[in-house]
Amino acid sequence: MNQIYTRLINREHPLPEDYIPDNLVDIGLPFDAPPHDPKRLLEEKTALAAAELISRSRREGLNICCVSGYRSYQRQKELFTASTYVAPPGTSEHQSGLALDVSCPGVRMELTEAFAETSEGLWLTRHAPLYGFILRYPSGKESITQIPYEPWHFRYVTKPLATYLSLTGMTLEEYHLLQKENAESG
Ligand SMILES: [Zn+2]
């Protein structure tokens, strides 16, 4: 399996400045962004999995809207310079093309904690793992992820890993720590 999908990206494990996924695509997902905006781009498998997830949600009458996908190192640097609440360049999962921020009309497409209580937010927490996505920064795990609760930020990690993490309740940080401990104990 391509290791990029399960890769841990955070402050201790940043992406190189020159890391740009070579398979970024815009497959026409419902984005709250104009055509050709780079934030519409996602890594290809991530985009296809998101399309399946969103089309299932549409069949159930929900209105999930994509807000932000890929973000370059340079763009992250600009945002970080403008706001201390933004992840430093290299440490954002959005640079990998594997992360997707979503919202819905019920909260005016905003990235807000209130999204968690919408039908779309509640549905996603249950169904996202079936399509290979995890809620990357859950409530109650802030001391481990070092990131405040973000009910809108989903990360593609493949179906097997997303299922495993959702069944065990582990974050990606805890999973990688366990892998390391297992490797060390032989
Ligand atoms: Zn995000």
Side-chain angles (χ1 to χ4, degrees), residues 132-168:
F133 290 91
I134 55 165
L135 183 65
R136 181 66 179 85
Y137 308 117
S139 170
K141 297 277 189 172
E142 293 88 345
S143 64
I144 296 162
T145 62
Q146 305 291 326
I147 303 275
Y149 178 38
E150 289 195 355
W152 59 84
H153 179 110
F154 290 85
R155 157 74 191 273
Y156 183 71
V157 294
T158 73
K159 281 183 205 178
L161 184 55
T163 308
Y164 178 75
L165 295 179
S166 106
L167 289 173
T168 57

